[in-house]
Amino acid sequence: MEQALLARYDRPLPRYTSYPTAPHFSAATGAKDYALWLAAIEPDARASLYLHVPFCRSMCWFCGCTTSAVHSVSALERYATALETEIGRVAAAIGHRLRAGQIHWGGGTPTALPAPLLRRVHAALARHFTLDDTTEIAIEIDPRTLPDDATALLRDLAVTRVSLGVQDFAPAVQAAIGRHQSVAQTKAAADAARAAGIASVNFDLVYGLPFQTIESLEATIGEVLALGPDRVALYGYAHVPWTRKRQQVIAERALPDTAARFAQQQRAAELLVAAGYRQIGLDHFARPEDMMARAAGTGALRRNFQGYTVDPSDLLIGLGASAISRLPQGYAQNAVGTQPYLAAIEAGGLAIAKGLALDNEDRLRGAIIERLMCDLEVDLATFDADPERFGAEGAALAPMEADGLLRREGSRVIVTEAGRPFLRHAAAAFDAWLGQAGRHAAAI
Ligand code: SF4
């Protein structure tokens, strides 16, 4: 792709895992609002639950997650107890037993919690929510710290999908990001998951890392494909050292420039598609028979804080430090730091520190952005019959149209295949909050 075109689109933008995005949350929305929202949940609703474990065995310098290295057994025990307490307290605020359609253990590294603590928290979930054979349970695993009894543990937690962090296998890249992980460790984690009967094994790759090259990425993808993933997420490294101090260790001169990042992303996508994976949205790939691949393009794919999902629920309940809940009324985020989170739960309340109550304009724009990010197209007439309603947005999209990155067909906005890497730019045209808060990573 020509340099001039890349330069025109080289600007920081959100990833639109929510709308409005998290930097716009404020303390104007708090625990009282959240409690009212929980109490309004209908008895026959199905919820998704997200549990955040903000601990890792050691820190990877590139990581943008809310996590820290913690080894103290008493600290881990205290956190698990707080999670159990929060689960019970949220269930009490709902006031009836809610069915859980999806559970996602994220972090950090969920398995930084010792297996007995994970089993305890899972038991608390089962005590307060209805889990059944249709409940999908996903967990993020660091293959370097696979628990000894991983297969038994995954069975006990009823896990149906695992995500294994890989990033890049090249030694120079691993040294530069402070994460040493062998192919053998990664294979052992995938094998443990499959031995537990888990049908969906996903791998997370990252491009744009220090010293990463097209060749290192090609080699990594070759190793990953040999392990037969069901899905692959391919994220661009988000260099945000102003919010993630650990990234200051990464030498900026070692980072690929915009053109190199773009070339890496394109080559990785080409290899995955050639291997039979279907490209989904901005950065996911799935086998054609995978639920996510089947949902893509049907309007059933959703965008959430984990990226993409086939979970149809409009109720996401976040548990743990920094976890974000999304209910029809708005977003509510727990205290980001582990200590403030623990203090709030141990004081007897909910841990909400900030949030945002949605108005109808937010909902409408959020739905448009979600369809664009999921389907690469949206029919604006389904949101407002007035053709003048989105005149300003149409003008903002005109340069992308001129560059062949999208086209307009009546009221439909269609991002072309060439425009897929620029999905966030198309979404940004509908973002009425853009520029009011937050500093984002580069969008390419
Ligand atoms: S990449 Fe994973 S293991 Fe590394 S610091 Fe981040 S959450 Fe922890």
Side-chain angles (χ1 to χ4, degrees):
M1 181 159 291
E2 59 170 296
Q3 296 276 349
L5 189 139
L6 282 180
R8 281 203 292 284
Y9 293 90
D10 187 10
R11 63 180 172 124
L13 287 174
R15 291 180 62 232
Y16 292 112
T17 52
S18 71
Y19 179 81
T21 53
H24 302 293
F25 297 175
S26 81
T29 299
K32 280 187 185 157
D33 303 289
Y34 184 51
L36 289 173
W37 298 350
L38 290 174
I41 294 176
E42 298 288 341
D44 59 350
R46 273 169 82 93
S48 300
L49 309 178
Y50 172 78
L51 294 102
H52 190 78
V53 179
F55 308 126
C56 293
R57 193 77 59 83
S58 61
M59 297 312 299
C60 312
W61 301 323
F62 77 99
C63 180
C65 298
T66 302
T67 186
S68 60
V70 171
H71 302 103
S72 152
V73 174
S74 62
L76 299 172
E77 167 94 29
R78 185 179 169 198
Y79 189 80
T81 300
L83 275 179
E84 290 176 295
T85 305
E86 188 186 15
I87 289 165
R89 202 164 286 156
V90 165
I94 294 168
H96 50 82
R97 195 176 173 84
L98 194 60
R99 188 170 293 276
Q102 300 239 353
I103 296 172
H104 189 107
W105 291 85
T109 306
T111 52
L113 289 181
L117 296 182
L118 285 169
R119 289 187 175 97
R120 258 178 45 193
V121 177
H122 177 75
L125 289 171
R127 264 198 313 280
H128 294 286
F129 293 87
T130 297
L131 317 185
D132 60 26
D133 289 350
T134 65
T135 305
E136 281 201 30
I137 303 183
I139 190 165
E140 297 167 10
I141 289 182
D142 176 357
R144 301 168 306 158
T145 59
L146 191 68
D148 291 339
D149 58 348
T151 296
L153 174 64
L154 293 171
R155 273 202 198 106
D156 290 350
L157 300 183
V159 170
T160 56
R161 183 159 54 84
V162 297
S163 291
L164 306 177
V166 172
Q167 332 316 339
D168 192 303
F169 286 124
V173 177
Q174 294 195 348
I177 62 173
R179 181 186 174 105
H180 298 277
Q181 175 180 333
S182 67
V183 176
Q185 285 173 316
T186 311
K187 181 176 185 310
D191 288 348
R194 292 199 171 106
I198 294 170
S200 188
V201 178
N202 311 165
F203 289 77
D204 293 344
L205 304 179
V206 176
Y207 66 88
L209 291 168
F211 299 112
Q212 204 171 20
T213 62
I214 286 195
E215 291 72 25
S216 74
L217 200 50
E218 286 175 342
T220 294
I221 289 174
E223 302 277 16
V224 163
L225 288 175
L227 300 177
D230 299 281
R231 295 180 194 168
V232 176
L234 175 70
Y235 300 116
Y237 166 56
H239 190 59
V240 287
W242 54 90
T243 56
R244 291 293 178 222
K245 302 287 181 227
R246 66 183 79 111
Q247 292 183 349
Q248 291 173 358
V249 176
I250 290 180
E252 295 194 355
R253 66 181 182 286
L255 292 173
D257 63 15
T258 302
R261 279 174 65 96
F262 188 78
Q264 289 175 10
Q265 187 276 337
Q266 293 282 287
R267 180 62 180 145
E270 183 181 50
L271 288 172
L272 291 166
V273 169
Y277 290 82
R278 182 162 175 200
Q279 190 164 6
I280 293 160
L282 186 67
D283 47 22
H284 278 48
F285 299 81
R287 290 185 192 277
E289 65 276 14
D290 185 280
M291 274 189 297
M292 186 173 277
R294 284 189 272 125
T298 67
L301 190 66
R302 304 293 304 271
R303 186 93 172 132
N304 71 0
F305 294 105
Q306 280 74 55
Y308 289 98
T309 179
V310 294
D311 177 12
S313 177
D314 283 326
L315 304 174
L316 171 67
I317 295 172
L319 301 155
S322 79
I324 299 175
S325 299
R326 187 201 63 222
L327 297 172
Q329 299 89 339
Y331 296 99
Q333 182 172 23
N334 277 350
V336 173
T338 302
Q339 292 311 318
Y341 164 76
L342 291 170
I345 295 297
E346 290 169 359
L350 296 167
I352 302 301
K354 55 187 173 179
L356 190 147
L358 296 170
D359 62 23
N360 285 339
E361 186 69 12
D362 292 328
R363 291 190 184 91
L364 179 140
R365 289 178 179 274
I368 292 171
I369 287 172
E370 185 176 32
R371 293 305 1 120
L372 272 173
M373 295 297 293
C374 291
D375 299 339
L376 280 77
E377 71 169 84
V378 65
D379 186 350
L380 297 177
T382 61
F383 294 93
D384 197 314
D386 177 3
E388 303 300 315
R389 172 71 152 80
F390 299 107
E393 290 77 4
L397 291 172
M400 291 187 72
E401 204 174 351
D403 286 328
L405 305 178
L406 66 76
R407 64 179 194 276
R408 307 287 303 272
E409 290 180 6
S411 58
R412 291 169 69 209
V413 176
I414 303 163
V415 175
T416 63
E417 202 49 46
R420 187 189 287 271
F422 304 90
L423 259 182
R424 292 196 266 178
H425 297 76
F430 295 90
D431 183 351
W433 290 78
L434 190 63
Q436 292 179 37
R439 193 173 159 199
H440 306 286
I444 302 174

